[in-house]
Amino acid sequence: LRARPIFARTRDAIEAHLTIVFTALAVSRAVQDRTGLSLRRVIRALKPLRLATITVNGTTTTIPAQAGPDEQAILDAIHAPTARH
């Protein structure tokens, strides 16, 4: 979440920008809370994961990323349901 100058001039554009910023902050906090890791460590661990979608003779296939045990633990923690208050 690097701060960047905002060049929006209309109220709608400013509100949209702030909505995106606060949403990104909320998502990053949820990821940190669920994994117990800093956002930087989560990104560093998951960044190498890639999936591929290929089409051959009209058939599309998606090849999922091959996550190791550490990466899978992070993904499981992020996807785990949380208790609602």
Side-chain angles (χ1 to χ4, degrees):
L1 293 175
R2 294 186 181 165
R4 295 190 177 136
I6 177 170
F7 299 106
R9 302 211 192 289
T10 66
R11 181 177 180 91
D12 285 346
I14 292 167
E15 287 178 358
H17 174 79
L18 291 175
T19 299
I20 292 168
V21 169
F22 281 110
T23 302
L25 181 59
V27 169
S28 66
R29 286 296 299 239
V31 167
Q32 290 179 97
D33 290 346
R34 290 178 180 202
T35 63
L37 300 171
S38 70
L39 193 58
R40 181 182 302 260
R41 286 182 184 235
V42 170
I43 292 169
R44 195 174 290 150
L46 299 182
K47 191 173 187 177
L49 297 181
R50 299 281 190 262
L51 63 81
T53 301
I54 59 171
T55 302
V56 177
N57 295 329
T59 301
T60 301
T61 303
T62 299
I63 304 165
Q66 297 296 314
D70 293 337
E71 293 89 357
Q72 192 60 53
I74 293 170
L75 293 170
D76 291 343
I78 291 170
H79 289 98
T82 59
R84 294 190 180 237
H85 302 290

